C-alpha cells in the first residue's frame, strides 16, 4: 500500500514537474519566418491587439544575417517570442546574434529583448530610447501581464548599450547596415535600418500598412518624415505592421492621407474654438473604412495630435 | 517513506496551490472598483466625515474607456453657483489606482462664479476617478466614474517630451466663452511642461528623466484669487485647465505656475468687461 501511495505521489510529482518543464521550456518552437531577400528574414505579425491568443506577436520582427554576425531587428512582444525568434535564427544559421536593434519603445517591439541578453548581444536604439524605456517600461510590463495573461520580470526591459544620434553603421561581415534616427514622428525614438546589400529598408512603425497608423510622437514630425522617406529609392520596404512592399512611396500614401486628414480636421475644430472632446467625436471618421483596428487606435491618435496642434500659433 | 526531496516537492506544490488560491482572492478584491476607496482612501482623506453620493452637488464627465491614457479629458460641474451664503470651496480629484491618487486639489472663491473645471488626466490602469466637492459649510459631495485604461503600446506619458521642454513655461490664457457682464466667463489655461512623473522604474528614471511636474497654478483677477490648484503627476503633459471667473470690471487676469523644481512662470491677460 505504502509503495503504491509512494508510486502514485511520485508519478503525480513527476507528472507535474514534467508539465512545468514544458511550460518553462528553454527550447521553444522556432517563430515562422520567411526569407524575403537574401539573408533577410521576417516574421509577419498578426494584425491585432496583443492578447492571450497571439501572445503579443503582433509586430513584424526579424533578422539579417551577415558573414560573421546576425542582427535582430525588434525582438517581439514577450520574452517567449524573443526565444522563438532566437530559435528561428538558429534554424538558419550558426552565426551569433551580435546586435539587437530596437526600432522604437513600443512593447510589441522590445519585450523579447531578454531572450538575447545571455548570448551577449549588443542592444542598439535611438538616443531617446533609454528615456522612453525608463518612463514607460514598468507600465508596459503591467499592461502585458494583464493582456497576455502572464507576468513579465522587470529585467524584460533591456536598455540599449549603444544609442544612435543621427546615423550609425553596423558591419555584420560583408554586410553594412545603416541605422537612422529620426526626430519625433511615430514616437520620439524611431529608428530605421537599411541593408545596403539588398536595398531593404526596415521602416518598422514609420510605415503602417492596413493597420491604422498610431501616433505617439508628433503628427507634424511624422508627416515631414514621410515626405523625406518618399524620396528614397529602395528595393524593398518592411512596415512595422502589414505587408512588405517594393514600392515605398506608394505604400506611404494611405498613411500620409490619414495623418493629413486628421491634422486638417483637428485644425478646423481648434479654429472653431472646439476642445479635445469635440475633436474625438468628429475628426477623421471618413478614414474608418480604410483601416484595420480603427476603433482601437483612432481616438488615441486624435488626442495626441490635438495636444500637439493646439500649441501652434 | 518519501524522500526528503519529494516531501519538499509536495510542500512546494501545496504552497503553489495556496498562493494561486490567495491570489484569486486578492483579484476578487481588486475587481471591486470601490475597494481601495472604502478600505483606506476615504478615511485617509476625509476621516469619518459624511459624504453625499446619492444626490451629489458635483458632476463628473469622463470617457468609459481612456483611448489615450496619457490624455483623458474630464469635465467637472458644480450644481450650485458661487453665492455668498453657499459656494463650492474646494474640489478634490482622486484617481484610485494611480501611483499618487490625489491628482489635484482645486480651490474656488465667489469670484469664480461657477466651480466647474475641465482638464486632461493620466490614467495608469482600470480605475475609479472621483471628485469630491467641499462646500463653504464643510459638507462633502462625491461623484465618480469608472474608466478603463487602454492596453497595447499606450502609456500614461507624453509623446513629445522634448517639445514640451523646449517651450517650458510658455502659457496660453484665453476666454473660450462669450463675455456677458456679471456672468461667469469660461477661460482656458495651458502651460507647456513635460510633467514627468519620475516614479516609474525609479532607478532608471532618475538617470534619464528625473521628476519634473507642475505643483501649483494660481489664477487671480485684479489681485483677487479666482481658482487655485495644487496639482500632481496625474495631470497630463502640458497641463490644460478650463475654469470660470466673473469679469465684473475690466482688469487683469493673472496666472502663476510653480513646478517641482521651484521654477515659476506667469502670464497676464487684459480682460475688458464690455468685450
Amino acid at each position: 500500500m505504502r509503495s503504491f501511495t509512494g508510486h502514485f505521489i511520485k508519478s503525480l510529482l513527476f507528472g507535474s514537474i514534467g508539465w512545468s518543464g514544458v511550460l518553462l521550456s528553454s527550447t521553444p518552437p522556432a517563430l515562422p519566418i520567411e526569407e524575403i531577400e537574401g539573408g533577410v528574414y521576417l516574421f509577419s505579425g498578426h494584425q491585432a491587439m496583443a492578447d492571450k491568443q497571439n501572445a503579443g506577436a503582433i509586430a513584424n520582427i526579424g533578422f539579417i544575417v551577415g558573414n560573421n554576425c546576425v542582427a535582430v531587428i525588434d525582438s517581439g512582444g514577450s520574452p517567449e517570442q524573443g526565444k522563438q525568434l532566437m530559435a528561428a535564427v538558429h534554424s538558419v544559421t550558426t552565426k551569433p546574434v551580435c546586435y539587437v536593434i530596437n526600432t522604437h519603445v513600443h512593447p510589441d517591439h522590445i519585450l523579447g529583448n531578454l531572450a538575447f541578453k545571455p548570448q551577449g548581444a549588443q542592444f542598439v536604439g535611438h538616443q531617446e530610447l533609454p528615456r522612453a524605456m525608463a518612463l514607460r517600461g514598468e507600465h508596459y510590463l503591467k499592461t502585458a501581464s494583464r493582456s497576455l495573461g502572464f507576468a513579465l520580470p522587470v529585467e524584460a526591459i533591456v536598455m540599449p548599450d549603444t544609442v544612435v544620434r543621427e546615423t550609425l553603421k553596423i558591419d555584420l561581415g560583408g554586410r553594412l547596415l545603416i541605422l537612422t534616427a529620426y526626430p519625433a514622428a511615430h514616437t520620439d525614438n524611431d529608428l530605421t535600418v537599411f541593408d545596403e546589400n539588398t536595398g531593404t529598408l526596415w521602416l518598422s512603425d514609420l510605415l503602417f500598412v492596413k493597420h491604422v497608423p498610431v501616433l505617439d510622437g508628433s503628427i507634424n514630425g511624422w508627416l515631414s518624415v514621410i515626405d523625406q522617406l518618399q524620396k528614397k529609392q529602395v528595393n524593398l520596404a518592411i512596415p512595422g505592421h502589414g505587408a512588405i512592399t517594393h514600392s515605398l512611396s506608394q505604400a506611404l500614401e494611405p498613411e500620409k492621407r490619414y495623418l493629413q486628414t486628421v491634422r486638417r480636421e483637428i485644425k478646423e475644430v481648434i479654429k472653431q474654438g472646439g476642445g479635445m472632446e469635440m475633436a474625438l467625436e468628429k475628426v477623421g471618421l471618413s478614414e474608418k473604412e480604410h483601416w484595420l483596428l480603427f476603433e482601437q487606435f483612432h481616438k488615441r491618435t486624435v488626442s495626441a495630435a490635438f495636444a500637439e496642434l493646439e500649441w501652434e500659433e | 517513506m518519501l524522500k526528503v526531496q519529494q516531501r519538499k516537492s509536495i510542500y512546494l506544490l501545496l504552497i503553489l496551490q495556496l498562493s494561486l488560491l490567495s491570489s484569486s482572492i486578492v483579484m476578487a478584491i481588486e475587481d471591486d472598483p470601490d475597494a481601495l476607496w472604502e478600505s483606506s482612501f476615504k478615511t485617509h482623506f476625509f476621516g469619518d466625515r459624511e459624504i453625499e453620493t446619492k444626490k451629489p452637488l458635483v458632476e463628473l464627465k469622463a470617457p468609459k474607456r481612456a483611448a489615450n491614457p496619457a490624455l483623458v479629458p474630464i469635465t467637472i460641474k458644480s450644481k450650485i453657483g458661487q453665492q455668498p451664503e453657499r459656494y463650492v470651496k474646494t474640489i478634490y480629484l482622486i484617481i484610485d489606482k494611480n501611483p499618487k491618487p490625489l491628482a489635484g486639489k482645486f480651490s474656488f472663491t465667489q469670484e469664480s462664479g461657477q466651480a466647474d473645471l475641465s482638464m486632461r488626466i493620466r490614467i495608469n490602469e482600470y480605475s475609479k476617478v472621483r471628485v469630491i466637492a467641499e462646500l463653504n459649510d464643510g459638507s462633502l459631495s462625491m461623484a465618480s466614474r469608472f474608466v478603463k485604461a487602454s492596453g497595447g503600446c499606450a502609456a500614461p506619458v507624453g509623446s513629445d517630451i522634448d517639445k514640451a521642454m523646449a517651450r517650458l513655461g510658455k502659457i496660453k490664457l484665453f476666454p473660450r466663452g462669450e463675455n456677458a457682464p456679471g456672468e461667469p466667463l469660461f477661460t482656458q489655461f495651458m502651460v507647456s511642461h513635460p510633467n514627468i512623473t519620475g516614479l516609474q522604474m525609479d532607478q532608471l528614471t532618475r538617470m534619464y528623466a528625473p521628476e519634473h511636474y507642475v505643483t501649483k497654478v494660481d489664477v487671480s483677477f485684479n489681485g483677487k484669487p479666482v481658482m487655485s490648484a495644487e496639482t500632481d503627476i496625474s495631470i497630463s503633459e502640458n497641463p490644460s485647465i478650463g475654469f470660470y471667473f466673473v469679469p465684473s470690471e475690466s482688469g487683469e487676469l493673472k496666472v502663476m505656475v510653480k513646478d517641482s523644481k521651484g521654477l515659476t512662470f506667469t502670464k497676464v491677460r487684459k480682460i475688458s468687461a464690455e468685450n
Side-chain angles (χ1 to χ4, degrees), chain A residues 41-112:
Chain A
Y41 295 85
L42 177 73
F43 164 76
S44 298
H46 306 280
Q47 297 266 44
M49 298 291 284
D51 60 25
K52 283 170 192 159
Q53 218 143 34
N54 58 42
I58 56 170
N60 292 340
I61 62 172
F63 55 94
I64 297 176
V65 183
N67 290 336
N68 308 325
C69 271
V70 177
V72 161
I73 303 171
D74 286 339
S75 58
S78 67
E80 194 59 25
Q81 200 197 357
K83 279 185 195 168
Q84 293 173 10
L85 179 61
M86 189 153 67
V89 172
H90 291 329
S91 72
V92 299
T93 180
T94 53
K95 286 157 195 157
V97 174
C98 305
Y99 304 98
V100 174
I101 301 162
N102 288 133
T103 60
H104 63 291
V105 73
H106 286 158
D108 46 334
H109 298 263
I110 64 160
L111 288 182

Side-chain angles (χ1 to χ4, degrees), chain A residues 278-289:
Chain A
M278 188 193 279
L280 287 170
E281 289 297 315
K282 286 186 170 178
V283 166
L285 301 180
S286 63
E287 284 289 322
K288 186 174 175 174
E289 56 180 333

Side-chain angles (χ1 to χ4, degrees), chain A residues 143-180:
Chain A
T143 310
S145 67
R146 191 176 62 216
S147 55
L148 307 181
F150 52 85
L152 297 181
V154 71
E155 292 77 27
I157 301 296
V158 181
M159 292 262 171
D161 305 302
T162 306
V163 296
V164 185
R165 286 181 176 278
E166 285 168 5
T167 58
L168 179 73
K169 285 182 181 171
I170 286 179
D171 190 358
L172 301 181
R175 185 159 211 161
L176 269 188
L177 301 184
I178 303 166
L179 279 53
T180 308

